[in-house]
Amino acid sequence: MNLQDETFDEILSDFKYDLRRWKTRVKHMENEIVFLERLLASEAFGKVLTRTMREKRELFKKMIRIKADFLADFKAELDSYQVILTKLASTEHLRKNKVHVERHETLNIRFEKFCKDFDDFRAKVLIQTGSVL
């Protein structure tokens, strides 16, 4: 549906739905980060790790911290965005004020890119740890 055809309430409802979806996905990724950290810290790798595998494991641990930091920042940004959405009045027309639409689209693009990168990273970690076990 085109933005010109949607009412303010429909657009706001879509934005709030996306926000809930993003927050749910962030929580899921936080849980996955805890799992990956525990997996990499597991004693199961103690005797089988070669030097290269240890280096790769340490690299994965650093990358997990970077991704966790990004998630924390993004979660804070989503919280502030939620406050903005709750303060929007129905008298404010999103079609005329494209700032809200552009911000939402930017958040969506950044989040989708991060999700794809995170999924690729998670797959690499699981492949690596699966090959060790």
Side-chain angles (χ1 to χ4, degrees):
M1 195 180 271
N2 193 338
L3 279 181
Q4 286 82 13
D5 298 337
E6 292 183 290
T7 65
F8 174 83
D9 292 332
E10 290 171 333
I11 293 169
L12 190 59
S13 175
D14 290 344
F15 285 4
K16 288 180 179 180
Y17 173 79
D18 285 343
L19 182 66
R20 285 190 308 271
R21 184 176 57 88
W22 295 337
K23 284 186 157 203
T24 301
R25 182 72 170 125
V26 164
K27 184 63 180 163
H28 181 68
M29 285 190 282
E30 287 173 336
N31 292 336
E32 287 179 331
I33 284 174
V34 169
F35 169 74
L36 293 174
E37 286 175 333
R38 288 181 181 172
L39 181 64
L40 291 172
S42 172
E43 291 299 320
F45 301 108
K47 296 180 182 177
V48 255
L49 288 180
T50 64
R51 182 172 172 254
T52 306
M53 289 177 173
R54 273 189 222 102
E55 289 172 357
K56 201 168 219 179
R57 184 175 72 169
E58 292 306 312
L59 176 65
F60 284 152
K61 286 180 179 181
K62 288 178 187 176
M63 291 173 70
I64 285 173
R65 288 293 9 121
I66 291 169
K67 295 194 181 302
D69 291 344
F70 178 86
L71 266 181
D73 292 344
F74 195 77
K75 189 175 182 179
E77 189 173 353
L78 289 178
D79 289 340
S80 69
Y81 183 60
Q82 184 174 19
V83 170
I84 291 170
L85 286 182
T86 56
K87 289 181 180 180
L88 287 178
S90 60
T91 57
E92 189 171 347
H93 298 286
L94 291 179
R95 289 186 300 268
K96 294 178 183 173
N97 187 353
K98 296 196 181 226
V99 172
H100 299 295
V101 174
E102 289 173 6
R103 180 173 185 181
H104 189 82
E105 288 173 357
T106 302
L107 279 171
N108 188 36
I109 290 168
R110 284 181 40 230
F111 188 66
E112 294 301 324
K113 182 184 180 316
F114 178 76
C115 286
K116 182 180 177 348
D117 292 344
F118 185 84
D119 289 343
D120 292 344
F121 170 72
R122 184 187 66 226
K124 287 178 186 177
V125 171
L126 293 176
I127 288 170
Q128 175 69 28
T129 55
S131 68
V132 171
L133 297 175

